[in-house]
Amino acid sequence: MILDLVLRDVRRAWSGGGAIFPIAFFLLACILFPFAIGPDRALLARVGGGVIWAAALLAALLPVERLVAPDADAGVLDQIAVRGGSMAEVAAAKIVAHWLSFGPPLLLATVIAAGLLGITAATLARIEIGLLIGTPGLAALAVATSALVAGLRGAGAVAGLVMLPLAVPLLIFGAGSIDGGQGALKLLGAVTLLLLVGAPFVAAAAMRVARGD
């Protein structure tokens, strides 16, 4: 059942454009930043890694309203529960699907963003490693946030208020790992692991409350 849910959510993300908009937003943010800060390539290269991480965080927030709410509104979660499915398993499947729809394209788009910001190949490699470790945590946080705000009026704005503060550790340690700090990279991995372990249970509890269990 989990594999079916993962494949269905990935197909839905790509067919509905939900996987394209976050990447387009990510690239647009990276394109606009040099216009705001000026053409100083040394300055752009110095702050470019932080820009990429901030843009990745904001891009991960875009599809939050579409991760859980459509299934809750359509009664899909009720059908899974009636068949004996676990909401934690559903949440885990959605985390995997969200990362597959969002993570790999973001890693590819980062190469383009690095060229726009004048980032060197060595720095790009460190950014890619950090994103590879940190984006699963972003996906887990996005699914948990989506479950928490499902059914609320103005869910997008509420999701931002919930998700952005919780994502600060990922942003701090991700940006800190760019300078070659192994400690920051280990802390980034620890935060991601904590989110991957805890988010399915938080999302499951929120989905059970939404269903009235």
Side-chain angles (χ1 to χ4, degrees), residues 76-161:
V76 174
L77 300 181
D78 292 330
Q79 295 176 19
I80 293 174
V82 168
R83 296 176 183 177
S86 167
M87 291 296 103
E89 292 179 350
V90 173
K94 287 186 173 295
I95 290 172
V96 173
H98 182 40
W99 185 84
L100 290 175
S101 303
F102 168 73
L106 180 69
L107 294 175
L108 293 175
T110 299
V111 178
I112 301 174
L116 296 171
L117 296 170
I119 294 173
T120 64
T123 303
L124 173 60
R126 291 194 292 270
I127 294 173
E128 293 280 19
I129 292 172
L131 288 174
L132 185 61
I133 295 173
T135 48
L138 284 177
L141 186 56
V143 170
T145 302
S146 181
L148 288 170
V149 303
L152 296 180
R153 181 177 299 176
V158 177
L161 294 175

Side-chain angles (χ1 to χ4, degrees), residues 18-110:
I20 297 175
F21 293 141
I23 304 304
F25 173 87
F26 170 79
L27 287 174
L28 182 60
C30 293
I31 290 171
L32 291 177
F33 190 81
F35 289 100
I37 201 171
D40 189 336
R41 291 185 63 85
L43 179 58
L44 286 173
R46 188 164 63 250
V47 301
V51 172
I52 287 175
W53 265 97
L57 171 58
L58 294 174
L61 180 64
L62 289 183
V64 161
E65 289 184 79
R66 299 188 298 272
L67 296 177
V68 174
D71 285 346
D73 295 339
V76 174
L77 300 181
D78 292 330
Q79 295 176 19
I80 293 174
V82 168
R83 296 176 183 177
S86 167
M87 291 296 103
E89 292 179 350
V90 173
K94 287 186 173 295
I95 290 172
V96 173
H98 182 40
W99 185 84
L100 290 175
S101 303
F102 168 73
L106 180 69
L107 294 175
L108 293 175
T110 299

